[in-house]
Amino acid sequence: MTAVHGEHLNLTTPDGVADAYLAHPDDGRPHPGVLLYMDAFGLRPSLEEMAKRLAGHGYTVLMPNVLYRAGRAPLVDLPDFIDGPQAAEIFERLFPLIRALTPELAMRDAGAYLDWLAASPLVAEGPVGTTGYCMGGVLAIRTAAAHPDRIAAAAAFHAGRLATDAEDSPHRLADRITAELYFGHADQDASLPAEQIEALETALDNAGVRHRTEVYEGAHHGYTQAGTSAYNAEASERHWQALLDLLGRNLQP
């Protein structure tokens, strides 16, 4: 991997200013852009390390605080290690903020994030990729549907509620997506039971979306997130390989 540079910055959106983290190869050249969507716990050192690892493979990675309307990250105090009971307590505090981020607001923001990437001299011309974790996985798929001309690849890891009865369920957006998709589901994830995985697959197949879905056995919701009790090193490395393969096929010349 190449040397990378990371920095914090502010992004202007239609509704305010979002704090964000940017990581890119430290060579001054433009590289394919990737919009990385955070999990519910938000921007923090471990996610910054993930952004830098991805950048080290030749990408300019933008990771916004999608809950910026509630304040700059971190929105709650986070311990160095988040175990199960702590995770539930923290999520309970964050849930009202997450719920307030409607699909309409999130996609209005997505347009601003993509505009920033398109205008940056650090980003190569052409479509970009997006990847997300937990709630960020849902946002990645919604972004691929909202901006099909701008997203060439999208990945979602341990994302929940992808195929529900709701009118705005992500799986109902399948016919708008032109990007290649990858899903890395956790088989120990109550937020995405087997019937939702099946419904998602059916929707993607019927819409003719290029995609690959894998269920990681023994993995829990949050398996990619170091510093939490859900972290699974083997599953996390598997996710890196899948993500890099997806982005390489669609973004690298």
Side-chain angles (χ1 to χ4, degrees), residues 112-139:
Y113 305 149
L114 294 174
D115 286 346
W116 190 94
L117 287 169
S120 173
L122 296 169
V123 180
E125 293 184 5
V128 304
T130 183
T131 182
Y133 303 88
C134 182
M135 62 175 281
V138 176
L139 293 177

Side-chain angles (χ1 to χ4, degrees), residues 6 22 24 30 34 39 43 50 76 85 87 115 126 160 168 190 227 242:
L22 178 72
H24 58 87
V34 177
D39 66 350
L43 273 58
M50 293 180 73
V76 298
D115 286 346
D168 60 357

